[in-house]
Amino acid sequence: MAAGLKTVILLSVVLAVGFLLIILSCALWSNWLPLLVGASEYLVSAADKNLKRHLLAITFVIAPLPNALFSHCGADDFSPSYEPTGAVDLGRFLTSLIVITGFAFPIVLAHSGVINTSASAMSIVGGGLVYGTILAYSQAFKQEDSDFD
Amino acid sequence: MSLPRSNYDPRRVCLNPFPDLHLGKHRRTAGVYLAGALFAIANWSFLDAAIYSAHAQVPWGDEPPVHVTFIDWLPGISSLLGYLVVVLIDKDRIRGQDGFGDSSAVWRARLFLFIGFALMAGGLAGSITVLVLKYVLSDYAEMFKYYGYANVTQNVLLMLSAIVLWMAQNTSTEYEYNLTL
């Protein structure tokens, strides 16, 4: 149980650093467009039903779309076949789409000169930290009945 | 060097030529993720050109000589429509297995598949047309050809994404696959 506690503390520190980078990339140049990257990462995090109760305050507004796709249409215990359905594929497709969008958006904004290049780099690093934290969390505390992988 | 007679149906025109790759049991998942990533990269590469065009006025003084206009958006729209049509077709209908209803359903499914691929190929050809006619053959500076190249990149990647998604979803219905899961 102590190992789990250490993991939680480490992941929360990494998550806080990621949020810090994202918010700093917005605040240093007083241009709040990179916050959309963070929003897309929250949208991805809502896809994992284990994280729903932990990030409820953040994801509550924009959570329903991928969460509904993943948790209700997945190959659950009640479904007769083990074959992944089209809805699961759609959820994975949307997840990949949103993740790539989160990384491509600051690059595009920096390319056209809307935000600074260092703000773009900080936003990408922060978004990668946040998303990596979410992945690591869902891997470390994966419950036995979740067969999403 | 002969066709596998067990799978061969002489009435079929469009045989499925994709190879049956075996990348393990996560092939479908990885393929779907890869298709989504390609889809996002495709659209963002074009949106990058559009946003860059909308914000480009500094190095050229008053006004740059060319912008991304609605003509540039048309091939991408056509490709997206074709992508939707191709993705929404039930794969079992195309394969035309017995006991799946009447044969007219199979015929209609193949017709719609053809329409979808024709739309995507039309989008690709249209993007190359826009690149040549609007950017290569005119007297603009070299950097404006980036708009045309981004358009071609978008359509090529959309077609790649459709192919990857098709291959990922097509041949995973083996029964032993289910047992080893």
Side-chain angles (χ1 to χ4, degrees), chain A residues 97-143:
Chain A
L97 186 75
I98 294 168
V99 169
I100 296 295
T101 298
F103 288 118
F105 197 56
I107 298 177
V108 169
L109 286 183
H111 183 214
S112 59
V114 177
I115 62 174
N116 202 316
T117 309
S118 17
S120 161
M122 287 167 68
S123 177
I124 288 175
V125 171
L129 281 180
V130 171
Y131 187 59
T133 308
I134 289 162
L135 282 186
Y137 192 96
S138 59
Q139 280 298 313
F141 299 99
K142 186 161 62 176
Q143 293 176 356

Side-chain angles (χ1 to χ4, degrees), chain B residues 17-88:
Chain B
F18 296 126
D20 190 11
L21 295 177
H22 290 287
L23 298 180
K25 63 179 182 177
H26 294 305
R27 186 172 63 92
R28 184 186 178 106
T29 306
V32 171
Y33 277 133
L34 180 62
L38 282 175
F39 187 83
I41 292 172
N43 288 305
W44 276 110
S45 69
F46 175 68
L47 284 178
D48 177 49
I51 296 173
Y52 187 73
S53 164
H55 283 272
Q57 72 268 15
V58 181
W60 297 281
D62 300 332
E63 184 70 17
V66 65
H67 275 296
V68 171
T69 53
F70 186 66
I71 298 293
D72 300 87
W73 288 78
L74 276 178
I77 292 172
S78 170
S79 275
L80 281 177
L81 281 178
Y83 193 96
L84 274 182
V85 172
V86 168
V87 162
L88 287 178

Side-chain angles (χ1 to χ4, degrees), chain B residues 21 36 82 116-118 128 134 139 154 159:
Chain B
L21 295 177
F117 274 119
I128 296 175
K134 190 175 174 183
D139 301 334
Q154 179 201 19
M159 189 166 267

Side-chain angles (χ1 to χ4, degrees), chain A:
Chain A
M1 212 51 203
L5 195 61
K6 280 179 192 171
T7 313
V8 165
I9 292 174
L10 175 69
L11 286 178
S12 64
V13 166
V14 175
L15 190 73
V17 170
F19 283 155
L20 175 71
L21 276 176
I22 290 180
I23 294 184
L24 212 58
S25 75
C26 299
L28 280 185
W29 288 272
S30 62
N31 185 346
W32 293 91
L33 272 174
L35 204 59
L36 290 174
V37 179
S40 70
E41 303 295 338
Y42 303 148
L43 203 67
V44 169
S45 77
D48 198 333
K49 68 177 178 183
N50 290 334
L51 281 174
K52 190 172 67 174
R53 57 183 179 273
H54 298 284
L55 290 175
L56 189 66
I58 307 171
T59 63
F60 187 71
V61 182
I62 44 182
L65 175 65
N67 191 19
L69 287 171
F70 268 87
S71 63
H72 291 294
C73 305
D76 280 337
D77 312 328
F78 306 108
S79 82
S81 74
Y82 296 98
E83 188 67 23
T85 60
V88 175
D89 284 344
L90 180 64
R92 285 170 176 157
F93 189 88
L94 284 179
T95 302
S96 174
L97 186 75
I98 294 168
V99 169
I100 296 295
T101 298
F103 288 118
F105 197 56
I107 298 177
V108 169
L109 286 183
H111 183 214
S112 59
V114 177
I115 62 174
N116 202 316
T117 309
S118 17
S120 161
M122 287 167 68
S123 177
I124 288 175
V125 171
L129 281 180
V130 171
Y131 187 59
T133 308
I134 289 162
L135 282 186
Y137 192 96
S138 59
Q139 280 298 313
F141 299 99
K142 186 161 62 176
Q143 293 176 356
E144 294 305 317
D145 57 350
S146 70
D147 49 358
F148 292 109
D149 291 325

